[in-house]
Amino acid sequence: MHLTPPTFIRNSEAALADAHLRGAIGAATDRFAGNRSRAVAERPDWEALRTQARAIKDDVLAHLDRYLEQFEAKVIERGGKVHWARDAAEAREIIVGISKRSVTEGAVPAAAMAAKSKSMTGEEVHLNEALAAGGIDPVETDLGEYIIQIAGETPSHIVMPAIHKTRGDIAKLFRDKLNVPMPEKAEEITALARKILREKFVQAGIGISGVNFAVAATGTIMILENEGNGRLSTTLPRTHIALMGIEKIVPRVEDLAPFLRLLPRSGTGQRLTSYQSFITGPRRADEEDGPEAFHLVILDNRRTEILADPEARESLACIRCGACLNVCPIYQQIGGHAYGWVYPGPIGAILTPQYVGLPNAADLPYASSLCGACKDACPVKIDIPHVLLHLRKLVKEGDPASPAATPGRPARPAGRPSWAERAVFRIWARVLRSPRLFRLGGWIAARLAAPLAEDGRIRNLPAPFSAWTDTRDFPAPAKESFRDRWYRGIE
Amino acid sequence: MILESVRKALASRTPPRPVRPGPAAAGAPPTMPADAEGLFEMFRDRLREVGGNVERAADPAGIRDAFAHVLRTHGAKKVWIASSPLLDPLDLESVCRAEGAERSRVLPSEKPLDLDVSVTGADLAVAETGSVAHLAKPGEGRCYSLLATVHVAILPLARIVPDLDAYLRWLAPIAAEGNRSCATLITGPSRTGDIEMILTMGVHGPKATHVLVQG
């Protein structure tokens, strides 16, 4: 898997040139955003739900140590095992270790295959390569993830990983990689995947899942899905490994209510997804199925650093719904791959720099017009524009002590603003403070701009202003300012 | 140790930025029906909206008829039926025989991939969402409601509760007691939109679901 946050600008240029991709992403995000609006309209108490959910998350984050301790104790009490992973490498080591041991233990040897249900955290730690290297065959079972696994690609959307592929793409892919006659309709493709993957579920000795929410009071994890692969990978294999970030906690079972109403509507415009599994430990002695071993891996991977930053802490409230992607004018044009890593769109623009280090993803906080659509759509009211501005400030300051910096790597060259930028802003501030200078400045700007404008837009300015016009057009100043027209007497 | 990092992170003197109040939280939660009839209607309508089937019968004979209809509709040959105080009196096995289907006694350990129909009880049904709740227990493993091509859930009318809060209030003491490993909330058939957003049923779970309500 090729991670490319440092080349965001190149990636987005390539994406903009890809008409097919733009069509697919545009259609999908339109549909999602529309479905979301309809589903939200059904709840007159939508704003109250958002407030309630955010309050729960704020409380959890403010007392995260206590809740994590409570959660761990309960999981262990119920027969599960808890492992703590400081970073991606540790998470991989732990999960591969558990998998290898589970294959050799037990009266009957289990197949060295892991049935994986969708987990963004699993992608974050690059689990599949490590499993394969450890002799465990990882099989993605979510249909979209299975499709891109066969294609050797990465997901382009949090909820719909294969959204960039047409039905024709997928049909050809199946024919070429699975050696089957080319399926035609979506139904046929699905039936084929169902048949192939059922065999894998039955053989796999290990099931690996994510966790949508983890209840501290009871040690229960909740997994939401539509397809049923989450249920299958946590029911049939002998060993279940669940991977979660520290921020997935909610205090009590009852606290799940607002999230159950917010997440499906925000993500796919559904009232509720087809299945929610509420799992508390491995199968009990008198139960007939379910895993014999339940392992929970709790991951930090710089989340504690985000927690420590009062301006960025709310990033951890994210419930991975994908609503911000669907309403983002940037994401709608370029899709998920351009963001270069696991989390795309607005949430990716704030999470990726904080997880991989700001110097490695310094362009991402700028991948925004700050329109605020994401903030309005977010079910837990994350003020994404605010966090973006905060991260931009950190980029400018090149602050090596910031949570988003990587130790040992120099900050991006644009540490201190250039002399030109400082000069322009000093002049700008001076002009804005004086009505006379402002009128004079406007008059000068209109005269200067006239030769530079094409069709009422300024597309090219000489250096250093070209830093702006390389990626933006300015509207040309009007011949006569509104103020002058007003005093002249507008008809 | 991660907990140490968490404690250090929380020890910062600056409190996190408060959430700006958004649009006035104007609306109240939707009102739920107060009576069993109203709850049934909401449950039936909402489950049908997502492609599930709902039938109601006043007595066991009516449930047996409805079940026979399900078997005929799907041409079922291999049927698994849970054994429980709720289902045993209905003698659904005889309905199977009458419809030319065989009652399978397959165990979860045999990984039954070829069941046409599975029948379980439902511990609760949720009117708000058209969902049925199933707690895995002896005699009713997790896998049956998932592996069969068609899942049938049977429950008495009185088990329909208004909303998700009621479901979670039911679940909380069970989870706290810790004697059961898995409760599942099921809302209609298995589905995906992963291929060009074309809605397809029966990806990994059942292609069709039938809820038979007695009462």
Side-chain angles (χ1 to χ4, degrees):
Chain A
M1 186 158 75
H2 228 25
L3 313 173
T4 56
T7 56
F8 173 74
I9 301 233
R10 265 212 309 281
N11 295 344
S12 35
E13 278 168 357
L16 287 171
D18 184 342
H20 167 216
L21 176 72
R22 289 178 75 177
I25 298 285
T29 50
D30 266 354
R31 175 97 80 95
F32 270 135
N35 290 347
R36 175 193 169 274
S37 296
R38 268 190 299 279
V40 165
E42 192 189 61
R43 295 294 305 203
D45 58 340
W46 183 254
E47 285 306 317
L49 287 171
R50 293 175 78 202
T51 304
Q52 189 187 4
R54 176 56 186 267
I56 292 170
K57 281 286 177 180
D58 280 344
D59 168 57
V60 168
L61 293 173
H63 305 102
L64 192 56
D65 54 337
R66 267 202 283 127
Y67 284 121
L68 282 170
E69 275 172 330
Q70 184 189 20
F71 178 65
E72 177 190 37
K74 278 293 169 187
V75 173
I76 292 172
E77 194 183 326
R78 297 296 165 231
K81 294 212 167 54
V82 177
H83 314 260
W84 297 85
R86 256 185 316 233
D87 54 25
E90 250 181 52
R92 289 193 293 266
E93 197 186 312
I94 291 168
I95 293 175
V96 174
I98 299 170
S99 304
K100 280 160 106 165
R101 279 193 302 277
S102 78
V103 167
T104 52
E105 279 165 359
V108 178
M113 185 194 302
K116 294 189 68 237
S117 73
K118 198 149 138 50
S119 164
M120 301 309 298
T121 316
E123 308 262 352
E124 190 187 315
V125 304
H126 312 313
L127 189 50
N128 287 359
E129 289 142 7
L131 285 167
I136 311 278
D137 179 17
V139 179
E140 292 292 344
T141 61
D142 172 278
L143 181 59
E145 296 280 349
Y146 179 60
I147 289 167
I148 60 176
Q149 183 177 45
I150 311 179
E153 293 178 30
T154 55
S156 62
H157 189 286
I158 287 180
V159 173
M160 305 269 283
I163 209 174
H164 55 290
K165 289 184 137 19
T166 62
R167 180 163 42 104
D169 291 339
I170 299 169
K172 278 198 212 89
L173 182 68
F174 273 40
R175 177 198 60 196
D176 296 339
K177 299 279 176 135
L178 301 176
N179 278 322
V180 293
M182 183 150 127
E184 294 271 333
K185 303 196 279 213
E187 253 169 40
E188 290 167 39
I189 299 175
T190 306
L192 198 51
R194 175 187 170 100
K195 194 156 138 275
I196 294 172
L197 289 171
R198 287 190 146 217
E199 284 307 322
K200 310 271 186 186
F201 283 123
V202 159
Q203 287 168 42
I206 303 138
I208 301 179
S209 77
V211 171
N212 290 99
F213 298 94
V215 181
T218 59
T220 304
I221 63 168
M222 180 171 79
I223 299 172
L224 278 99
E225 57 165 330
N226 275 313
E227 296 183 10
N229 58 313
R231 290 178 67 191
L232 278 176
S233 28
T234 57
T235 297
L236 296 184
R238 214 161 60 189
T239 299
H240 173 202
I241 306 172
L243 174 63
M244 61 178 266
I246 53 174
E247 81 281 22
K248 293 296 174 73
I249 300 276
V250 296
R252 312 162 303 153
V253 168
E254 292 86 339
D255 294 320
L256 293 169
F259 296 101
L260 283 170
R261 293 179 173 119
L262 290 164
L263 176 45
R265 287 187 170 87
S266 301
T268 52
Q270 294 175 274
R271 193 179 286 128
L272 197 57
T273 49
S274 299
Y275 306 118
Q276 286 71 240
S277 303
F278 300 81
I279 296 170
T280 315
R283 73 154 81 164
R284 303 300 190 266
D286 61 345
E287 287 174 5
E288 288 159 11
D289 59 3
E292 286 160 25
F294 175 65
H295 293 265
L296 194 60
V297 182
I298 304 183
L299 176 70
D300 181 357
N301 207 26
R302 309 190 79 151
R303 285 160 173 74
T304 45
E305 291 173 35
I306 301 176
L307 187 67
D309 181 347
E311 298 298 316
R313 178 184 292 184
E314 58 179 327
S315 318
L316 295 176
C318 175
I319 63 176
R320 307 290 193 264
C321 70
C324 57
L325 275 62
N326 297 325
V327 298
C328 175
I330 284 86
Y331 179 87
Q332 285 170 356
Q333 296 300 325
I334 62 176
H337 287 150
Y339 291 80
W341 204 54
V342 178
Y343 302 106
I347 192 65
I350 64 174
L351 285 181
T352 298
Q354 298 187 82
Y355 284 154
V356 309
L358 201 45
N360 296 320
D363 284 327
L364 288 184
Y366 294 89
S368 170
S369 62
L370 300 177
C371 72
C374 54
K375 174 175 159 189
D376 289 341
C378 179
V380 287
K381 292 178 147 179
I382 302 174
D383 190 344
I384 296 180
H386 178 82
V387 184
L388 286 167
L389 287 172
H390 171 64
L391 293 175
R392 289 182 189 185
K393 179 161 156 283
L394 292 179
V395 169
K396 280 296 163 200
E397 290 172 354
D399 176 18
S402 90
T406 304
R409 297 264 307 243
R412 196 167 168 245
R416 193 134 191 269
S418 67
W419 68 265
E421 199 173 339
R422 276 182 278 133
V424 166
F425 277 102
R426 213 170 288 141
I427 295 170
W428 183 250
R430 185 71 196 84
V431 167
L432 282 180
R433 278 201 291 271
S434 156
R436 227 169 357 109
L437 277 181
F438 185 80
R439 268 203 310 282
L440 177 64
W443 188 88
I444 294 175
R447 301 292 164 281
L448 278 181
L452 293 170
E454 301 161 33
D455 296 327
R457 303 198 75 80
I458 299 178
R459 292 196 171 82
N460 289 295
L461 286 175
F465 305 102
S466 53
W468 278 334
T469 53
D470 277 348
T471 52
R472 287 171 186 74
D473 293 343
F474 279 15
K479 273 274 168 51
E480 193 184 11
S481 75
F482 174 82
R483 207 170 181 283
D484 290 341
R485 290 177 70 189
W486 177 263
Y487 284 113
R488 194 162 47 76
I490 292 179
E491 294 301 303
Chain B
M1 188 52 211
I2 294 177
L3 283 172
E4 264 317 300
S5 304
V6 173
R7 285 190 200 103
K8 256 202 336 220
L10 294 176
S12 143
R13 260 159 295 148
T14 323
R17 206 166 147 263
V19 185
R20 299 256 186 82
T31 27
M32 303 300 292
D35 62 324
E37 287 307 316
L39 288 177
F40 171 74
E41 273 167 27
M42 181 180 268
F43 171 76
R44 175 201 62 203
D45 293 343
R46 298 218 164 167
L47 179 49
R48 282 183 182 164
E49 268 175 55
V50 294
N53 301 289
V54 185
E55 294 305 326
R56 181 174 168 189
D59 56 21
I63 296 288
R64 290 162 57 86
D65 283 343
F67 180 59
H69 182 72
V70 171
L71 295 180
R72 277 196 300 270
T73 306
H74 296 284
K77 290 281 162 268
K78 207 155 177 214
V79 179
W80 183 90
I81 305 169
S83 195
S84 71
L86 175 67
L87 296 178
D88 291 346
L90 293 169
D91 189 18
L92 297 175
E93 184 167 356
S94 63
V95 179
C96 284
R97 276 197 305 270
E99 297 298 327
E102 167 217 341
R103 180 186 186 173
S104 161
R105 297 279 185 183
V106 71
L107 296 170
S109 52
E110 299 168 70
K111 316 276 174 108
L113 292 182
D114 59 349
L115 292 171
D116 297 317
V117 174
S118 69
V119 188
T120 67
D123 296 84
L124 225 60
V126 183
E128 176 190 342
T129 51
S131 312
V132 293
H134 185 255
L135 185 67
K137 51 182 97 65
E140 289 191 47
R142 305 183 195 185
C143 71
Y144 299 106
S145 59
L146 183 55
L147 288 177
T149 309
V150 177
H151 174 227
V152 177
I154 301 183
L155 76 161
L157 181 70
R159 285 196 192 169
I160 305 180
V161 300
D163 53 21
L164 289 168
D165 303 275
Y167 164 73
L168 293 169
R169 280 195 300 272
W170 167 82
L171 178 65
I174 295 173
E177 199 179 34
N179 292 330
R180 290 280 157 248
S181 66
C182 182
T184 313
L185 205 52
I186 300 169
T187 314
S190 144
R191 70 192 64 233
T192 184
D194 270 335
I195 302 170
E196 264 185 16
M197 304 195 49
I198 301 164
L199 188 61
T200 317
M201 304 302 196
V203 195
H204 297 294
K207 295 186 177 136
T209 59
H210 294 260
V211 179
L212 308 181
V213 179
Q214 184 178 340

